[in-house]
Amino acid sequence: MISANNVTLRIGKKALFEDVNIKFTEGNCYGLIGANGAGKSTFLKILSGRLETTKGDVTITPGQRLSVLEQDHFKYDEFPVLDTVIMGNQRLYDIMKEKDAIYAKEDFTEEDGIRASELEGEFAEMNGWEAESDAATLLNGLGIDPSLHYMMMKDLGGNEKVKVLLARALFGNPDILLLDEPTNHLDLDAINWLEEFLIDFENTVIVVSHDRYFLNKVCTHIADIDYGKIQLYAGNYDFWYESSQLLIKQMKEANKKKEEKIKELQEFISRFSANASKSKQATSRKKALEKIQLDEIKPSSRKYPYIDFRPNREIGNEVLMVENLSKTIDGVKILDGLTFTLGHNDKVALVGGNEQAKSVFFKILMGEMEPDEGTFKWGVTTSRAYFPKDNASEFDSDLTIVDWLTQFSEIKDATYVRGFLGRMLFAGDDGVKKLHVLSGGERVRCLLSKMMISGANILLLDEPTDHLDMEAITALNNGLIKFPGVLLFSSRDHQIVQTTANRIMEILPNGKLIDKITSYDEYLESDEMARKRQVYTAEGKPEDN
């Protein structure tokens, strides 16, 4: 068990947390939620001991081991992958290294023998002989190929490092597991594996995530941070949302009844206070009026943007024809003979673990990259808006947000443009912010404003939920569901894919395409998924793994 006792954290004069008391008990998974800036990551740092409180303390059941998902992706660059995972249990790793050092001595002494015996006993108690195989199992589950297990961390790609650090946090069955955005940069397969791992995990988990489907699947409780307080709810994310909305509704209804009673008492007092025969009754009602207290209903600190993509032109029947599209990068075939036709009702989700293939495909369709072979043709009635995954170059400018967005608007009116920015929570002076100082979340909201103002009837989005908070993801989800045009998108957010797509395309490891008109959940349950559990040769022929 881990608990926060009267925890207060002040940054300057501002109290981020005020007298927080909460217990996290064994066998439960707690989703820590709240608006951006509410202090979710900060609270995890307090629980882990990496940040001192202004007042109060954190207590952990004696003897229990706490594990944290490391956020510094370069911290273990000089270590092999397997070693990095095993370091998740630092004591076990230290024993392994001390043993190795003793056995490597040329002048092995009696004292060394005694020490080695002690270490071997402790090593066996900690299941040390299974350490490497357990670490490899975690890495395999997260999609790290065995060929990478003995490489140095510095030689891995960014997404691979994220998976290794996650395996490190999970290693060795920790008693308390703190995970800050564990699904970030994971493909959907890895997220599915993590969901099953946490469902079966029997100890304490506290997780921060913007993935609603993930929270619904793994959480037994929700800890909601709002206005420096943490309110605990039993149940998953959907249950929290319904419960919190019901509570506000009940408080409003109770206040309405109280207000009606107050009005009734005030009218009686006003009418009869000067009447001698009614004076006692008027006095009694004054006392009753003084006792009525309205419930304080604080508006939530959460802010929801308004995302609404409205095409300027209705799309025709001819949308997109792709024929035999292929692309090789650095000797690896990324796309191999992609052929399909899009219709005017298609909402297509690109899925699969090959992130590069999806991004390359989007770039080819947007004319930013040439295919090696094949052709594609957009219909004459189509207009396109594109959300690139790598969008840093878009914001390498001294332009203000308003001036930047005005470039893409047919109506060159600042008030009109500011209206679109306002929908995305850029209010007042936010419009004169320079592009190059924007945060990741602000950049995403700018790009969504650009897509809205374009009036396009085809939207291409490559991982648009990165850097967004829960409220913005929910707004984007709703906007995509309502969009009457054609969608072609990739997303790690299971709920967006399931509620939006009516067609699933998966680019396989060999660059081939599986194309199914179905929902995402139905696709995951289909026989086609068996093909993903095979290793594909360069010629595209599956072999048993």
Side-chain angles (χ1 to χ4, degrees):
M1 183 184 77
I2 182 170
S3 61
N5 313 297
N6 296 314
V7 164
T8 296
L9 178 67
R10 295 187 179 277
I11 300 174
K13 294 182 178 180
K14 180 185 177 184
L16 192 58
F17 296 105
E18 191 81 54
D19 294 325
V20 170
N21 291 280
I22 190 169
K23 291 180 180 180
F24 303 99
T25 57
E26 186 176 344
N28 292 317
C29 179
Y30 299 86
L32 192 61
I33 64 170
N36 270 5
K40 301 183 291 295
S41 296
T42 301
F43 191 68
L44 285 189
K45 289 178 183 177
I46 291 172
L47 293 177
S48 68
R50 297 184 178 192
L51 185 63
E52 290 188 9
T53 62
T54 305
K55 188 181 79 172
D57 58 30
V58 172
T59 58
I60 296 175
T61 302
Q64 291 199 335
R65 183 170 71 85
L66 182 144
S67 182
V68 179
L69 175 58
E70 185 64 58
Q71 300 297 313
D72 182 354
H73 296 174
F74 305 99
K75 186 173 181 178
Y76 300 96
D77 272 2
E78 300 307 317
F79 293 92
V81 168
L82 270 179
D83 279 23
T84 301
V85 176
I86 296 171
M87 282 182 199
N89 188 336
Q90 191 62 48
R91 177 56 188 159
L92 176 61
Y93 183 77
D94 290 344
I95 290 172
M96 291 173 66
K97 290 303 167 186
E98 188 177 349
K99 279 202 315 156
D100 291 345
I102 290 174
Y103 292 139
K105 285 185 175 182
E106 292 182 4
D107 53 342
F108 192 86
T109 66
E110 183 178 348
E111 288 182 356
D112 288 332
I114 294 171
R115 179 58 180 160
S117 178
E118 292 172 348
L119 291 171
E120 290 289 4
E122 190 174 353
F123 184 71
E125 286 179 7
M126 300 177 74
N127 294 321
W129 296 112
E130 288 79 42
E132 287 199 7
S133 62
D134 289 347
T137 298
L138 291 171
L139 291 169
N140 292 337
L142 287 166
I144 297 295
D145 192 89
S147 63
L148 304 178
H149 292 189
Y150 294 94
M151 290 180 63
M152 300 297 287
M153 284 289 285
K154 64 184 177 183
D155 296 323
L156 299 188
N159 289 356
E160 292 165 339
K161 281 186 177 181
V162 168
K163 291 180 178 181
V164 175
L165 293 176
L166 179 54
R168 177 188 175 278
L170 303 179
F171 177 77
N173 195 36
D175 300 290
I176 301 164
L177 183 56
L178 306 184
L179 301 174
D180 192 355
E181 296 292 357
T183 62
N184 274 6
H185 308 295
L186 293 188
D187 55 78
L188 289 167
D189 281 347
I191 293 173
N192 290 338
W193 180 89
L194 178 61
E195 288 167 355
E196 295 305 319
F197 181 94
L198 293 179
I199 288 169
D200 294 334
F201 190 72
E202 296 179 351
N203 298 331
T204 305
V205 182
I206 306 170
V207 57
V208 172
S209 177
H210 291 145
D211 188 327
R212 298 157 296 164
Y213 182 89
F214 177 78
L215 292 177
N216 276 330
K217 192 142 185 202
V218 305
C219 289
T220 60
H221 296 73
I222 295 295
D224 178 31
I225 302 178
D226 214 350
Y227 291 107
K229 301 292 184 182
I230 303 181
Q231 180 72 37
L232 195 61
Y233 295 80
N236 61 14
Y237 178 80
D238 282 349
F239 185 82
W240 160 80
Y241 183 79
E242 292 170 6
S243 299
S244 60
Q245 295 303 304
L246 179 61
L247 180 62
I248 292 171
K249 182 181 178 183
Q250 289 173 338
M251 290 173 69
K252 286 181 177 179
E253 288 176 351
N255 274 355
K256 185 177 179 182
K257 290 179 180 178
K258 288 177 183 178
E259 286 168 352
E260 290 172 353
K261 186 65 176 177
I262 288 170
K263 185 178 179 182
E264 177 188 320
L265 292 172
Q266 286 174 336
E267 287 177 353
F268 185 92
I269 293 166
S270 176
R271 190 184 311 168
F272 297 111
S273 58
N275 187 319
S277 63
K278 299 281 187 178
S279 62
K280 285 186 178 180
Q281 295 179 39
T283 302
S284 174
R285 281 165 171 75
K286 280 182 181 179
K287 291 179 180 178
L289 181 62
E290 290 170 358
K291 292 179 181 179
I292 297 176
Q293 297 291 327
L294 294 177
D295 293 324
E296 182 184 5
I297 305 176
K298 269 191 173 183
S300 173
S301 58
R302 293 175 172 83
K303 294 181 180 179
Y304 289 84
Y306 178 69
I307 299 179
D308 186 20
F309 303 105
R310 296 185 182 182
N312 294 333
R313 180 182 186 182
E314 189 173 343
I315 199 167
N317 290 327
E318 293 184 4
V319 178
L320 174 65
M321 292 183 65
V322 175
E323 188 168 352
N324 199 35
L325 208 65
S326 297
K327 183 69 178 179
T328 298
I329 296 179
D330 296 331
V332 178
K333 201 143 199 176
I334 303 297
L335 306 174
D336 187 5
L338 271 60
T339 300
F340 64 87
T341 301
L342 284 191
H344 67 279
N345 292 320
D346 282 336
K347 306 283 192 293
V348 181
L350 283 178
V351 302
N354 196 336
E355 301 289 318
Q356 183 186 20
K358 288 180 277 189
S359 294
V360 165
F361 184 50
F362 281 120
K363 288 177 181 178
I364 289 173
L365 293 182
M366 291 304 298
E368 295 182 2
M369 186 180 286
E370 290 292 327
D372 296 333
E373 300 174 44
T375 60
F376 67 93
K377 183 181 179 182
W378 291 103
V380 294
T381 62
T382 63
S383 55
R384 296 163 296 284
Y386 173 47
F387 183 103
K389 182 177 179 179
D390 181 6
N391 50 57
S393 60
E394 183 97 51
F395 298 93
D396 186 17
S397 168
D398 282 330
L399 286 175
T400 65
I401 297 176
V402 170
D403 290 341
W404 171 80
L405 188 58
T406 302
Q407 299 174 107
F408 310 107
S409 174
E410 291 184 4
I411 301 174
K412 307 297 183 183
D413 176 71
T415 303
Y416 176 78
V417 171
R418 281 180 178 273
F420 283 88
L421 291 173
R423 294 178 186 179
M424 297 307 298
L425 307 180
F426 291 107
D429 292 340
D430 287 341
V432 296
K433 275 188 177 180
K434 303 285 189 179
L435 290 179
H436 62 82
V437 302
L438 298 181
S439 67
E442 288 173 325
R443 289 181 178 186
V444 172
R445 287 188 279 126
C446 279
L447 287 172
L448 293 174
S449 298
K450 176 184 173 183
M451 296 184 82
M452 283 193 290
I453 209 168
S454 73
N457 53 27
I458 297 178
L459 303 181
L460 298 93
L461 304 102
D462 190 3
E463 299 296 345
T465 62
D466 287 355
H467 305 293
L468 289 182
D469 59 20
M470 192 90 74
E471 293 70 43
I473 291 172
T474 300
L476 175 60
N477 197 167
N478 293 336
L480 293 178
I481 290 171
K482 290 189 300 181
F483 179 60
V486 171
L487 284 177
L488 187 60
F489 70 97
S490 66
S491 176
R492 300 183 193 93
D493 190 294
H494 187 118
Q495 191 162 335
I496 284 183
V497 177
Q498 171 59 21
T499 58
T500 304
N502 57 23
R503 184 173 176 179
I504 304 296
M505 292 185 182
E506 179 174 6
I507 302 175
L508 297 169
N510 63 347
K512 297 289 187 181
L513 184 71
I514 293 177
D515 182 3
K516 291 289 181 181
I517 297 175
T518 183
S519 72
Y520 184 55
D521 283 348
E522 289 170 340
Y523 179 73
L524 291 177
E525 294 168 3
S526 70
D527 292 339
E528 292 289 349
M529 287 299 292
R531 299 180 65 184
K532 296 176 65 182
R533 308 307 172 199
Q534 297 172 318
V535 177
Y536 285 79
T537 65
E539 292 77 27
K541 296 176 182 178
E543 298 176 346
D544 291 338
N545 193 358

